[in-house]
Amino acid sequence: MRLSRLRRSTPFRLAVAYALLFVSSSLLVYLSTYFLLRAEIYSTLDNSVTETYSVIQSSYAPGDIEDVVQSMNSFSRLQNGDRRIFYLGSADGKRLAGDIAKFLPTTGLQTISGEALGLPGDDHFRVKTGTIDGNNLLVGESLEATEDLAQIILANFAWMACFTTLLAVFAGMFLARRAHARIDAIAEAMTEITDGNMSRRVPLKGSGDDIDMISAQINSALDRLSDVMESMRQVSADIAHDLKTPLNRLKLILEDASLRDENKQPVQEQLRDALIESDQINETFQALLRISQIEAGARRTRFADVDLNRLVSNVVEIFGEVAEDNGQKLSFDADRAPRCHIEGDKDLLTQLFVNLIENAMNHCPVGTTIQMSLQRSEDRCSAIVADNGPGIPAAEREKVFRRLYRLDKSRHSPGNGLGLSMVKAIADLHGMSVEIQDNHPGSRFVLTWRNPKPIN
Ligand SMILES: Nc1ncnc2c1ncn2[C@@H]1O[C@H](COP(=O)(O)OP(=O)(O)OP(=O)(O)O)[C@@H](O)[C@H]1O
Ligand SMILES: [Mg+2]
């Protein structure tokens, strides 16, 4: 992965932003902790100086400065690594006790260099002064140990800050690279798909994170797209295949008519046949167009409450007589059927039942009984169209829903092979499933709606 590309990527920018935030907040914490600790050790030193001063001062008994000198000397002897300094001198500058040459008066606690007090080295001291019985008293403690401790703490925090920064930068880079690699994998898959490999899908990590979720959504959109493309390809192939015969027939009829016309023979019959043939072709195109419109979903805006019981009763009433004329029987027991209300397009649902009834009438012999019924449970409602005709073999039950697909035995009966495609398109539009079952004998079309309207 090129660094310039990585730098432009969102994961990289996010990682840098988080690393900066992490480093600056860590620095803030380290610095504030350092200053707090430093203040604390300096205040411990000040307390120690003040305490020593108080102890020495309290050893004074009026008129007896000797006790003060003794107390100071015992403190001097007790030096335990922390360098302490003492001074006791008369008002005219005469040193009575202590280990510094010069006396410098202070207000409260003050930091004074050893040099100013006439001491060798470059140490600094916290010093407190005052007077006892007209004499000057000075108590001080070296800052060296305290400054060393502050230095150690500061160095420690500096190392920790370096480590935190490195950790933030490397962890950020690692996470950015990982996220970028997954985005790259999506881009790679999309490029391959754009180049024509419609079977390619975005790889999933299986962690269920947001990138996985987006990838799964892209994959299901691609599935849908390839289904649509496959069905378009199928339609084109079917149209080319199934319309070839009627178009050839039309051509032959017209050639025949033209030959007869040249021979001054009547052509009425040929023209009538040509008209029937072109009507048939036109009908096929109209039906294909209608199915595409239904599949596009625009009719959903016309959805309203549909009483299935009443709709089926109406269809049966109209087609009952046609079936009787065909020597078949169409029945529906409206009184015993449960009440089913759904949201849908009444005209399309009527068309759906008409197609199923017409199929049973056209593809079943005389004497067939076509039985319509409704079933309902708490969460679903089914409409069933069953006949005791020849049935549809199990292997063909998926295929009959394809456009222009007809069983071989129906090739010579009228029809385009589009009736069930329309049934499927209408069913999909209404979110219902269509299943063909064996009616022993015959076929049984079961349409199921999930979540119909509640029974009042
Ligand atoms: N009830 C049925 N019994 C037996 N076969 C059936 C039945 N319904 C459909 N078929 C078979 O399924 C095929 C597809 O049906 P479809 O309704 O799609 O087309 P069609 O009836 O042949 O033509 P169209 O409906 O366009 O006039 C039919 O040709 C027929 O072979
Ligand atoms: Mg049909």
Side-chain angles (χ1 to χ4, degrees):
M1 195 186 315
R2 297 273 303 278
L3 198 67
S4 59
R5 264 186 63 211
L6 182 68
R7 238 185 283 140
R8 279 200 310 272
S9 79
T10 309
F12 178 79
R13 284 167 188 222
L14 275 177
V16 169
Y18 279 112
L20 281 177
L21 200 72
F22 183 60
V23 167
S24 46
S25 54
S26 306
L27 281 181
L28 205 70
V29 170
Y30 292 150
L31 281 177
S32 54
T33 314
Y34 165 71
F35 282 115
L36 275 173
L37 279 176
R38 191 174 186 276
E40 188 58 36
I41 53 176
Y42 272 85
S43 121
T44 309
L45 179 72
D46 285 357
N47 287 343
S48 163
V49 172
T50 313
E51 211 179 300
T52 313
Y53 182 92
S54 303
V55 173
I56 294 172
Q57 193 184 34
S58 64
S59 62
Y60 171 70
D64 186 7
I65 200 74
E66 231 359 84
D67 282 352
V68 178
V69 173
Q70 263 177 28
S71 157
M72 198 185 275
N73 286 339
S74 35
F75 265 114
S76 237
R77 278 197 299 277
L78 274 176
Q79 297 271 18
N80 54 352
D82 322 328
R83 215 177 135 206
R84 288 182 183 170
I85 49 171
F86 303 94
Y87 175 85
L88 183 69
S90 60
D92 55 8
K94 189 170 160 257
R95 188 160 67 125
L96 301 176
D99 41 19
I100 61 165
K102 273 193 236 165
F103 173 78
L104 277 181
T106 62
T107 41
L109 275 163
Q110 235 171 278
T111 304
I112 299 177
S113 70
E115 204 183 348
L117 298 168
L119 289 167
D122 52 4
D123 271 8
H124 280 76
F125 294 85
R126 287 295 277 170
V127 171
K128 185 176 166 67
T129 62
T131 52
I132 301 174
D133 193 22
N135 298 304
N136 291 319
L137 173 65
L138 179 149
V139 175
E141 213 168 298
S142 168
L143 272 168
E144 194 185 0
T146 307
E147 271 170 356
D148 282 353
L149 190 59
Q151 284 291 326
I152 290 168
I153 294 171
L154 186 65
N156 234 343
F157 281 148
W159 277 115
M160 274 159 73
C162 286
F163 177 71
T164 310
T165 308
L166 281 176
L167 188 77
V169 168
F170 282 112
M173 289 279 281
F174 171 71
L175 292 175
R177 264 176 189 274
R178 233 171 52 154
H180 195 83
R182 292 181 65 195
I183 291 171
D184 256 7
I186 299 177
E188 217 173 85
M190 297 313 281
T191 312
E192 225 178 281
I193 291 158
T194 315
D195 289 346
N197 180 5
M198 280 306 289
S199 61
R200 179 77 152 92
R201 291 293 175 268
V202 176
L204 297 183
K205 210 176 130 213
S207 60
D209 62 5
D210 49 356
I211 297 185
D212 251 17
M213 253 165 62
I214 296 272
S215 305
Q217 277 167 355
I218 294 175
N219 284 348
S220 59
L222 286 170
D223 286 345
R224 175 94 183 99
L225 196 68
S226 48
D227 279 356
V228 170
M229 280 176 69
E230 174 55 26
S231 89
M232 294 295 288
R233 201 191 57 75
Q234 184 70 43
V235 174
S236 321
D238 288 347
I239 290 175
H241 182 263
D242 280 57
L243 287 188
K244 210 160 62 189
T245 317
L247 281 172
N248 275 339
R249 265 202 309 261
L250 184 64
K251 188 175 165 242
L252 286 176
I253 295 167
L254 292 174
E255 275 173 2
D256 187 29
S258 146
L259 210 66
R260 287 176 75 89
D261 190 46
E262 271 174 28
N263 296 334
K264 308 277 185 272
Q265 287 173 324
V267 291
Q268 252 83 11
E269 200 185 321
Q270 282 69 27
L271 287 179
R272 204 189 56 236
D273 286 352
L275 209 60
I276 294 171
E277 207 63 65
S278 61
D279 274 351
Q280 179 74 34
I281 294 168
N282 195 25
E283 230 173 70
T284 306
F285 271 119
Q286 288 299 332
L288 280 171
L289 205 64
R290 193 127 191 267
I291 293 170
S292 303
Q293 279 168 348
I294 295 168
E295 280 176 347
R299 300 277 298 236
R300 213 170 269 133
T301 50
R302 290 168 48 168
F303 274 22
D305 179 73
V306 177
D307 178 350
L308 275 182
N309 212 301
R310 190 184 301 165
L311 188 134
V312 173
S313 298
N314 287 345
V315 176
V316 170
E317 202 181 310
I318 297 164
F319 279 82
E321 282 177 28
V322 187
E324 240 168 70
D325 292 348
N326 268 358
Q328 295 162 326
K329 190 170 176 272
L330 173 62
S331 66
F332 172 61
D333 191 346
D335 296 332
R336 289 181 60 189
R339 299 203 63 72
C340 287
H341 279 257
I342 57 152
E343 271 297 297
D345 183 321
K346 206 168 125 199
D347 295 342
L348 288 182
L349 290 170
T350 306
Q351 175 80 67
L352 178 148
F353 288 114
V354 168
N355 283 8
L356 292 178
I357 293 170
E358 273 185 349
N359 271 357
M361 293 194 309
N362 292 340
H363 305 297
C364 299
V366 174
T368 301
T369 300
I370 307 158
Q371 179 75 49
M372 292 202 60
S373 55
L374 292 178
Q375 282 176 2
R376 139 141 237 174
S377 66
E378 195 54 48
D379 65 341
R380 61 185 65 189
C381 171
S382 301
I384 296 147
V385 183
D387 64 58
N388 55 358
I392 300 172
E396 304 277 358
R397 284 179 197 155
E398 282 281 314
K399 295 180 190 162
V400 286
F401 289 109
R402 288 187 196 161
R403 287 174 174 88
L404 305 165
Y405 190 88
R406 312 186 75 206
L407 298 189
D408 283 340
K409 63 179 181 222
S410 314
R411 291 260 162 222
H412 302 292
S413 60
N416 300 315
L418 289 171
L420 287 181
S421 308
M422 192 168 290
V423 166
K424 183 81 174 81
I426 298 172
D428 285 349
L429 184 76
H430 286 81
M432 59 176 154
S433 62
V434 198
E435 199 191 340
I436 305 177
Q437 298 171 352
D438 202 329
N439 199 35
H440 305 288
S443 44
R444 200 175 134 88
F445 285 81
V446 184
L447 303 148
T448 306
W449 286 263
R450 281 177 187 278
N451 305 318
K453 293 190 170 176
I455 311 160
N456 300 322

